[in-house]
Amino acid sequence: MSPTDSSAVSPSAVEATASPIGKMRGGLRRESAGFEAELARWFQARLRLLSLFTFLASSAMLIVGHSLSALVGGWSVALLFTVHNVIHVAACVIAALIWWWLRTPYRLPRLRVLDAVLFGTSMATILGIYAASYEAGMTTMCAILALFVLTRALIVTSTVQRTLLYSVPAPLAFLCIQLAYGNVYAAPGQVIAADYTLALIVWNQVVLWLA
């Protein structure tokens, strides 16, 4: 075969066209020149969706809570300035700000920080409301916390290590709050019997760790 034969293919050309098996991530080639930029765009879009969902869900729960209080005749202006309400409103504002900030393209390191801030703020909000209104029997907070962890995992996919790192504080903090009070309340002023308290605490930990 002559050096000028048009059918001849150089080794470098073969290597360039070969499929990079084992170097794929979500359909993107790692060695591609635009991989990081494309991954950042995808991650930012998912993170912006999560921030919007967090804002809408938090706002809806806030509105529903005040509406139910008004229906049963227990609403007053003072409720707007309770600790758990202030925490809730602050979380809505932070989620809205993150959604607004994400209109501008960012690099992956900054997006990771915003992801951690959004997730941490949401967990702190749920745990803060649970601690501030513990004696009111906030038994649904465990389910809400678990659902948020699962929602974040579905919308913003990440490595197992990062998801575990973000999620570990939730069950531990939840357990610390329950142990600090010593009792578990089913409703305002209604303490769950001691025989069932330990079982409920263990069940809450199972739910949160599985989430």
Side-chain angles (χ1 to χ4, degrees):
M1 181 181 296
S2 66
T4 59
D5 191 344
S6 60
S7 64
V9 181
S10 64
S12 59
V14 173
E15 183 179 355
T17 57
S19 176
I21 299 176
K23 296 183 178 180
M24 303 290 290
R25 180 177 178 181
L28 302 175
R29 293 185 179 181
R30 289 186 178 182
E31 70 273 16
S32 172
F35 172 76
E36 288 297 330
E38 190 170 353
L39 179 60
R41 287 193 298 270
W42 175 86
F43 186 76
Q44 182 163 342
R46 307 298 289 181
L47 187 57
R48 195 160 192 248
L49 178 61
L50 178 63
S51 62
L52 178 61
F53 169 82
T54 302
F55 169 73
L56 294 177
S58 300
S59 300
M61 286 189 287
L62 189 64
I63 294 172
V64 169
H66 282 283
S67 299
L68 291 177
S69 296
L71 287 175
V72 299
W75 191 89
S76 66
V77 177
L79 287 177
L80 298 175
F81 304 98
T82 58
V83 175
H84 71 271
N85 192 77
V86 172
I87 294 173
H88 204 150
V89 172
C92 293
V93 172
I94 292 174
L97 286 175
I98 291 177
W99 176 83
W100 184 76
W101 284 331
L102 287 173
R103 297 180 306 163
T104 304
Y106 290 112
R107 294 182 179 274
L108 273 176
R110 181 168 294 186
L111 292 174
R112 297 295 185 194
V113 172
L114 289 174
D115 180 29
V117 170
L118 178 61
F119 189 75
T121 300
S122 301
M123 284 202 306
T125 299
I126 297 171
L127 293 169
I129 293 174
Y130 183 57
S133 308
Y134 189 83
E135 295 182 358
M138 306 292 284
T139 55
T140 59
M141 299 310 288
C142 176
I144 293 174
L145 185 58
L147 285 174
F148 180 79
V149 173
L150 290 173
T151 301
R152 188 262 173 194
L154 290 173
I155 296 179
V156 183
T157 54
S158 61
T159 61
V160 175
Q161 294 86 345
R162 181 175 289 108
T163 301
L164 182 63
L165 179 64
Y166 286 177
S167 305
V168 161
L172 298 180
F174 206 86
L175 177 62
C176 289
I177 293 172
Q178 291 178 322
L179 294 179
Y181 278 93
N183 296 317
V184 178
Y185 291 80
Q190 296 183 11
V191 179
I192 294 178
D195 296 341
Y196 297 99
T197 298
L198 179 59
L200 181 60
I201 291 176
V202 172
W203 175 249
N204 288 337
Q205 289 299 301
V206 170
V207 171
L208 291 174
W209 282 106
L210 288 178

